[in-house]
Amino acid sequence: MLRRKIDEYLVQWKNNPDRMPLVIKGARQIGKTFSIRNFAKNYKNFIEINFITDPQFKTIFSNGYSPEAIIRQITLIKPEWNFIPNETLLFFDEIQEFPDCTTSLKFFKIDGKYDVICSGSLLGVNYNEITSVSVGYKTDCDMHSLDFEEFLWAKGYKQGLIDEILEHMIKLAPFSELEYRVWMENFMEYTTLGGMPKVVDMFITNKNYSGTLQEQRQILKAYEDDITKYARGLDKAKIKNVYNHISVFLAKENKRYQITKVAPGARNREYIGTVDWLNDAGIINICYCLESPELPLKGNYKPNDYKIYWRDTGLLIASLDEEAQVDFRQNKNFNAYKGAIYENIIADSLVKQGYGLYYYKNEKSTLEMDFFVRDFRSLIPVEVKANDNATVSLRNLIEKEKYPDVHYGIKLCNKNIGFNGKFYTFPYFCAFMLKKYFNEFNQSHYGKEVEK
């Protein structure tokens, strides 16, 4: 069984005496249902309702949304089910099929006798169809495919050994040759596989890549089927056009989303909402271009100027041609897609740590930066280098007085740890530790100021 970070989150949720009904959102096949079923072992009684496999349960709200009325309707369908107050977890799964279900959460919270979890894919797409989303009476939780730390857990690495990566970063202590090789090999495996649980489990069980590409392509096909089934009010063909061109955008030098690359003669006004649909469905991450490299990040970006990345890098690689697959898996050779793949996996890592995605490129293309995050008081440029080339933009952002919010930067590449007085260099495999690193950095540099 794969250990997931949401496992601990769910236990903390249960231990909160003022817990509210929980809505777990995320793309299909990332392990939502499995994790919730496993967590349900903490209860004496577990009731699971799946609105796809058991559509008859869509009628349970016909007499209103009070828990008493709902339970009465459920037991009419399943009289053998028991509802034990304070000892029952009620799980509504695949609620994208019946999103109005979440209207009941307010009343379950007020009643307080039963714990309720809802889950499903494409919830971001379907939330606008809900009569009432029970604002203030539910907790939303975004779940993702496995991150690199969870992948290392799956490989059998103990937490203490993984935590040593952060210690190296904090102490600016280069990795030994053996450490670097082992962590980089694991990172390259994770880059190729991505974090879809079934794909990772197949790799761990078989100890090779056998069957993983077929499984990834099956997931890609399922996403395309979702577009056909759930894209209401939008042109499904246009959403599919964008979906099928994600890897094309990333292969370009500037990697920007450009409507002219989707279809000949295409116009932005004809594709309004298509990218948002894919983002709401949990298929892509959107990285917005900043108006200028300064704080704050929110409200300082161009809503119509962005890059799009796959939310799972393994799916990016699986979307490429057969020849590329052989090169990736046998030779670890990323060729023309090298820059795109490294950018994609860093974007995925940042999102899984809770960061929004922002980049910058001025009109003359003389200054550009892959990503920006922030710590306690600084805007932090994050540069991803496929090769150990010059970092002119990173230096300019740090050195020039016209960028007062930038005090230091991060460079991620295939190179050991280092610091040149201006920016920190970390190997790619350190990216999943960046948020923890910034927290430690704040405490050590700003200490009491942070506490205030």
Side-chain angles (χ1 to χ4, degrees):
M1 188 180 71
L2 297 175
R3 176 187 171 191
R4 303 298 305 274
K5 291 182 177 179
I6 199 169
D7 299 339
E8 183 179 349
Y9 176 89
L10 289 170
V11 171
Q12 291 174 350
W13 172 77
K14 186 178 188 300
N15 291 337
N16 180 1
D18 194 34
R19 62 187 171 277
M20 293 186 284
L22 184 64
V23 179
I24 299 180
K25 300 182 289 183
R28 63 157 65 238
Q29 299 189 41
I30 58 171
K32 299 184 297 296
T33 299
F34 183 89
S35 293
I36 295 166
R37 287 174 178 168
N38 183 56
F39 166 69
K41 297 173 183 176
N42 292 287
Y43 290 81
K44 289 185 179 180
N45 197 41
F46 177 51
I47 303 293
E48 178 179 346
I49 292 174
N50 185 306
F51 288 113
I52 289 181
T53 58
D54 298 303
Q56 69 268 30
F57 284 105
K58 293 179 182 180
T59 65
I60 63 177
F61 306 103
S62 59
N63 289 340
Y65 291 100
S66 72
E68 183 180 349
I70 293 169
I71 291 170
R72 186 184 302 116
Q73 294 297 313
I74 292 173
T75 53
L76 280 173
I77 299 171
K78 291 285 186 178
E80 68 273 21
W81 284 359
N82 294 316
F83 285 81
I84 307 171
N86 305 311
E87 295 180 354
T88 298
L89 174 63
L90 176 58
F91 174 34
F92 293 117
D93 199 9
E94 302 290 3
I95 66 168
Q96 74 276 4
E97 282 292 315
F98 195 68
D100 202 44
C101 162
T102 56
T103 302
S104 67
L105 300 185
K106 174 180 178 179
F107 305 99
F108 274 108
K109 169 57 181 172
I110 293 171
D111 181 65
K113 294 178 183 176
Y114 308 99
D115 285 352
V116 181
I117 296 179
C118 295
S119 181
S121 55
L122 294 103
L123 294 189
V125 170
N126 288 309
Y127 253 30
N128 60 349
E129 299 178 16
I130 300 172
T131 304
S132 167
V133 292
S134 297
V135 175
Y137 294 92
K138 67 179 178 62
T139 299
D140 288 330
C141 172
D142 290 314
M143 187 175 173
H144 302 272
S145 62
L146 279 77
D147 66 14
F148 184 49
E149 187 169 25
E150 290 171 312
F151 178 76
L152 292 176
W153 291 343
K155 291 288 297 287
Y157 288 96
K158 304 301 182 185
Q159 190 63 52
L161 193 59
I162 297 172
D163 288 342
E164 288 182 8
I165 296 175
L166 179 60
E167 292 178 20
H168 276 274
M169 296 169 70
I170 294 169
K171 296 176 181 177
L172 291 178
F175 295 95
S176 70
E177 184 178 343
L178 175 61
E179 289 172 323
Y180 193 98
R181 178 174 56 80
V182 168
W183 293 132
M184 196 63 189
E185 286 177 356
N186 277 286
F187 180 78
M188 297 305 288
E189 288 176 351
Y190 173 68
T191 300
T192 303
L193 291 163
M196 290 297 182
K198 189 172 181 180
V199 174
V200 172
D201 190 57
M202 290 176 69
F203 179 76
I204 300 299
T205 301
N206 298 331
K207 297 181 173 56
N208 58 51
Y209 292 99
S210 176
T212 57
L213 177 59
Q214 290 82 354
E215 179 61 29
Q216 288 169 322
R217 287 182 169 167
Q218 192 63 38
I219 295 171
L220 291 173
K221 178 63 169 61
Y223 284 169
E224 191 167 346
D225 291 342
D226 281 344
I227 295 172
T228 300
K229 184 175 183 180
Y230 293 106
R232 301 165 187 166
L234 289 170
D235 190 322
K236 298 175 183 181
K238 288 175 180 173
I239 296 177
K240 284 185 180 181
N241 270 349
V242 175
Y243 172 76
N244 290 324
H245 282 80
I246 299 171
S247 302
V248 175
F249 302 136
L250 291 173
K252 303 302 178 183
E253 186 175 350
N254 64 15
K255 302 178 181 63
R256 285 179 60 246
Y257 169 78
Q258 294 173 289
I259 194 64
T260 55
K261 305 299 181 186
V262 175
R267 299 175 183 273
N268 281 312
R269 65 173 179 268
E270 299 168 348
Y271 281 76
I272 291 174
T274 55
V275 172
D276 290 332
W277 194 96
L278 292 168
N279 182 53
D280 290 340
I283 296 172
I284 63 170
N285 289 315
I286 302 177
C287 182
Y288 291 100
C289 184
L290 293 175
E291 291 278 2
S292 59
E294 61 185 21
L295 295 172
L297 290 170
K298 291 184 178 179
N300 176 34
Y301 65 87
K302 306 173 186 177
N304 297 316
D305 190 350
Y306 49 83
K307 302 177 185 179
I308 55 179
Y309 297 99
W310 285 95
R311 285 203 187 179
D312 187 271
T313 306
L315 297 184
L316 161 61
I317 291 179
S319 70
L320 304 178
D321 56 63
E322 293 286 350
E323 292 74 19
Q325 302 302 328
V326 175
D327 221 8
F328 292 149
R329 285 167 167 75
Q330 293 185 5
N331 307 319
K332 299 297 186 293
N333 181 13
F334 292 165
N335 285 331
Y337 281 93
K338 183 159 51 179
I341 289 169
Y342 287 133
E343 272 192 41
N344 198 100
I345 199 163
I346 299 306
D348 178 51
S349 177
L350 292 174
V351 168
K352 286 174 177 174
Q353 292 172 78
Y355 289 112
L357 297 180
Y358 304 94
Y359 77 102
Y360 180 72
K361 186 173 186 177
N362 64 12
E363 293 182 359
K364 296 180 179 179
S365 298
T366 55
L367 181 70
E368 54 186 301
M369 185 51 51
D370 299 314
F371 302 105
F372 285 90
V373 294
R374 66 164 303 167
D375 67 5
F376 167 61
R377 68 172 200 170
S378 302
L379 179 66
I380 308 166
V382 178
E383 186 168 36
V384 183
K385 303 295 287 187
N387 300 299
D388 187 27
N389 295 333
T391 54
V392 177
S393 291
L394 188 57
R395 287 183 179 275
N396 286 339
L397 284 166
I398 298 167
E399 294 174 355
K400 291 189 175 181
E401 294 182 359
K402 64 187 296 186
Y403 308 116
D405 292 331
V406 180
H407 302 127
Y408 67 98
I410 301 291
K411 176 182 173 182
L412 297 169
C413 59
N414 188 7
K415 189 176 181 181
N416 219 323
I417 289 176
F419 178 58
N420 62 4
K422 301 182 187 304
F423 59 84
Y424 298 84
T425 297
F426 295 124
Y428 301 121
F429 58 77
C430 291
F432 77 103
M433 285 287 190
L434 280 178
K435 193 158 196 174
K436 292 180 180 178
Y437 171 77
F438 293 141
N439 289 338
E440 293 289 339
F441 186 94
N442 288 338
Q443 288 293 336
S444 62
H445 285 73
Y446 311 125
K448 294 180 181 179
E449 193 177 355
V450 172
E451 293 176 5
K452 292 179 183 178

